[in-house]
Amino acid sequence: MIRKTFEWALSPMGRIAVLIAALSLFSLAAFGVYQSQQPPEQPIQFTHKLHVGLGVQCLYCHPGALRGPSPGLPTISKCWGCHQQIGKTQTSPLLKPMVDAMAKGEGFTWVPVAQVPDFVHFTHRPHVAAGLNCENCHGDMTQVTIAVNPQVMNMGWCLNCHKQKAAGDEEKLTKLTDCGTCHY
Ligand code: HEC
Ligand code: HEC
Ligand code: HEC
Ligand code: HEC
Ligand code: HEC
């Protein structure tokens, strides 16, 4: 059976079939990568570029980055506090989802994009306390229109920085590269 399949795969028709199978697998994989780099469907087309450009601080909308384990994503009342004073809010089609949600007493459910799996323990606090800036890990959010999935947040990424930051300090290196520091 195996031998027969093998012979068939080497015949001209077989080669074409194998090629087609390989190509479709490849395009499926490419499509997967493309899909995960597309911005998710958000409740409203919020852009960092515009708002950070207005001078609103990161921590105004993500205060948990200093205080809690997770920076958190802002509730609609944070948006509304400012937008109810802006004339354009009532007329802009881009802001209609906000006006409608407020009228119905609903909130926004953001689709998170920057995430590590549940079996990874990550908290912002020690990182911010160690003097890292948001852009060290999230890139330049001041230029981001619709946030997409950052592909870089894998184990190698964490370990690279931990090794770099612990250079020369054996005790710290052991701690920051220990499996139990990030997994438990
Ligand atoms: C006016 C409020 C506001 C300000 C100011 C703001 N953000 Fe955000 N941020 C949001 C909202 C809303 C989302 C969720 C929607 C999205 O992903 O675009 C978000 C998402 C993010 C995400 C992706 C998280 C995820 O999982 O979706 C990162 C990272 C982030 N913000 C970092 C920053 C940084 C860094 C700054 C300062 C340079 C900043 N933000 C300023 C409102 C804000
Ligand atoms: C500090 C005040 C402030 C906060 C807080 C704020 N915005 Fe804005 N937002 C503005 C201003 C000012 C504009 C620009 C209005 C203009 O173009 O004249 C704007 C524009 C927008 C636009 C584009 C509107 C258009 O027609 O171009 C969207 C969408 C938006 N904001 C969503 C949000 C969301 C969602 C939040 C909460 C996560 C939020 N904003 C929080 C001040 C704010
Ligand atoms: C050392 C790297 C690092 C630094 C520095 C950092 N972040 Fe993050 N951030 C992450 C990682 C990793 C995640 C995913 C965490 C998770 O899945 O729980 C994340 C997630 C987020 C999210 C999504 C949170 C949510 O509740 O869904 C926001 C918003 C965010 N960061 C904002 C910030 C802001 C604002 C700063 C600066 C004050 C900052 N981050 C600094 C690595 C970092
Ligand atoms: C840009 C550099 C950088 C990146 C990226 C980074 N870290 Fe860190 N991490 C640090 C620094 C610096 C400290 C603080 C070390 C100290 O105590 O001085 C730290 C501390 C920690 C701690 C606390 C250790 C303790 O003292 O108990 C944990 C847990 C942690 N990191 C997990 C992660 C995980 C998980 C990721 C990837 C998702 C990650 N880090 C990515 C730089 C980084
Ligand atoms: C500095 C943080 C950190 C340390 C230390 C660390 N890991 Fe991880 N690990 C991660 C992150 C983040 C992921 C998630 C990777 C992703 O989403 O691609 C991960 C994923 C994994 C996975 C799942 C593999 C996969 O491809 O999904 C295994 C298994 C694992 N780690 C084992 C270990 C072992 C064993 C050690 C100790 C030698 C270790 N890790 C140390 C951060 C860490």
Side-chain angles (χ1 to χ4, degrees), residues 84-163:
Q84 66 178 340
Q85 302 164 39
I86 301 173
K88 191 179 185 177
T89 303
Q90 296 300 334
T91 53
S92 161
L94 282 175
L95 286 161
K96 193 168 182 303
M98 191 190 291
V99 176
D100 290 352
M102 279 310 290
K104 284 191 223 145
E106 287 169 1
F108 286 146
T109 310
W110 305 108
V111 183
V113 292
Q115 269 195 317
V116 289
D118 283 347
F119 58 83
V120 178
H121 169 72
F122 180 87
T123 54
H124 277 74
R125 209 203 313 213
H127 292 96
V128 177
L132 293 171
N133 293 318
C134 314
E135 33 308 359
N136 289 134
C137 297
H138 294 293
D140 189 359
M141 290 300 289
T142 66
Q143 297 307 313
V144 168
T145 47
I146 307 292
V148 297
N149 183 4
Q151 292 291 310
V152 291
M153 291 180 164
N154 54 29
M155 186 158 130
W157 175 69
C158 313
L159 284 173
N160 270 344
C161 182
H162 281 191
K163 283 183 189 146

Side-chain angles (χ1 to χ4, degrees), residues 42 46 48 56-58 61-62 74 110 112-114 134 138 141 147:
Q42 297 288 5
F46 174 82
H48 278 81
V56 191
Q57 299 296 305
C58 312
C61 290
H62 306 295
W110 305 108
V113 292
C134 314
H138 294 293
M141 290 300 289

